[in-house]
Amino acid sequence: NFTYCPATGLAVGNEHSEFAGWAFPFPGVFVMEEFISEDEESELVELMDRDDWKPSQSGRRKQDYGPKVNFKKQRLKAGSFSGLPSFSKKIVAQMEACSLLDGFSPVEQCNLDYRPERGSAIDPHFDDCWLWGERLVTLSLLSHTVLSMSCDSEGSIQLMPTARKENEPSPQGALPAGSDAGQERRSNSLASPRLVPCREVRVGIALPRRSLLVLRGAARYGWKHGIRRGRIRRRRVALTFRELSAEFSPGGAQEELGRELLAIALSFQGRPV
């Protein structure tokens, strides 16, 4: 029903839906286009394809670089984990230059291979919160797709009117784009709110080829993310990096184990486990 707009941070109602002309703030999403070059992309895929891809769920294949985890019993050990792959060292260094990723130290990397002929998709889900920290980082390669965000909350979302095209009647409370009368707009929006149940809302986040996506905050903990089967039209490879949760970070109950796993991860000598 809605599409995320990186320029405004709003989820904007799709043109031909019942929510056209309405929007709401959608915090916790950051998309950086052209994070790597075409040559770097080709080299990364060629290096990944030298290793075997293991079958995964919903028509995907995967390569895992991370510790051995039993999420149900909350047990964790290094196992055969020997680090992130050497080709990721440069990617991680580029991430460090991004202010939003200040202090981001990935302890796990999961490569996923999507192909339309296999019906590849990923069901809406939350990433684990016991082990993985707030920021989820994904690099998309080879083709464009759309990440679908959904919410199972019993609550409602308050929509605000958006600016219309020039000479087009505006809904009550809407102001022209670029208006500095933000306070008036907020007052009008609150005077005539439109509420919709969270469960009726879907937000699409465009993931261009070679873009970097960061999910954090509300987008990480309040909204499930997934990719619908019809959104995979050509081969897509995604590299997802995860950091440790507070429990395994300095000051946490399992700080020592976290330090051990990070030392392994950042040796960049790993092979898929």
Side-chain angles (χ1 to χ4, degrees), residues 70-259:
N70 185 320
F71 290 107
K72 187 174 182 179
K73 296 181 178 180
Q74 293 193 344
R75 293 178 181 174
L76 172 68
K77 61 180 180 180
S80 59
F81 180 40
S82 55
L84 303 187
S86 58
F87 57 77
S88 292
K89 188 172 184 178
K90 184 178 179 181
I91 299 173
V92 172
Q94 288 177 234
M95 290 179 187
E96 292 174 352
C98 176
S99 60
L100 192 66
L101 292 174
D102 181 46
F104 182 80
S105 295
V107 73
E108 193 251 14
Q109 176 179 333
C110 179
N111 303 334
L112 290 176
D113 177 74
Y114 297 77
R115 293 185 188 248
E117 60 268 26
R118 295 198 304 264
S120 298
I122 188 164
D123 293 335
H125 68 283
F126 291 112
D127 277 33
D128 178 80
C129 298
W130 164 67
L131 178 58
W132 309 134
E134 179 177 5
R135 293 168 292 188
L136 305 177
V137 183
T138 298
L139 178 62
S140 296
L141 305 179
L142 297 183
S143 66
H144 170 98
T145 194
V146 175
L147 192 70
S148 180
M149 309 293 288
S150 57
C151 183
D152 292 337
S153 169
E154 296 290 345
S156 298
I157 295 173
Q158 180 172 305
L159 307 181
M160 63 181 185
T162 59
R164 298 297 182 102
K165 296 178 181 179
E166 189 176 356
N167 299 324
E168 184 179 348
S170 298
Q172 183 179 357
L175 294 177
S179 171
D180 59 0
Q183 184 60 47
E184 181 182 348
R185 177 173 186 166
R186 285 191 291 272
S187 299
N188 288 339
S189 296
L190 291 172
S192 56
R194 179 178 180 183
L195 298 178
V196 294
C198 293
R199 292 185 174 186
E200 295 183 9
V201 172
R202 298 290 182 274
V203 179
I205 301 175
L207 301 182
R209 179 178 178 178
R210 297 189 301 281
S211 66
L212 189 77
L213 167 74
V214 181
L215 297 180
R216 61 182 302 179
R220 157 77 162 105
Y221 298 114
W223 291 77
K224 292 181 178 180
H225 59 275
I227 297 178
R228 298 176 183 177
R229 186 160 285 106
R231 293 293 192 178
I232 301 297
R233 297 175 181 173
R234 297 194 304 276
R235 185 187 184 194
R236 173 179 182 259
V237 172
L239 291 70
T240 294
F241 300 86
R242 299 179 176 94
E243 62 184 345
L244 289 168
S245 67
E247 181 172 341
F248 298 89
S249 299
Q254 301 196 59
E255 172 184 358
E256 185 174 342
L257 177 55
R259 187 184 302 114

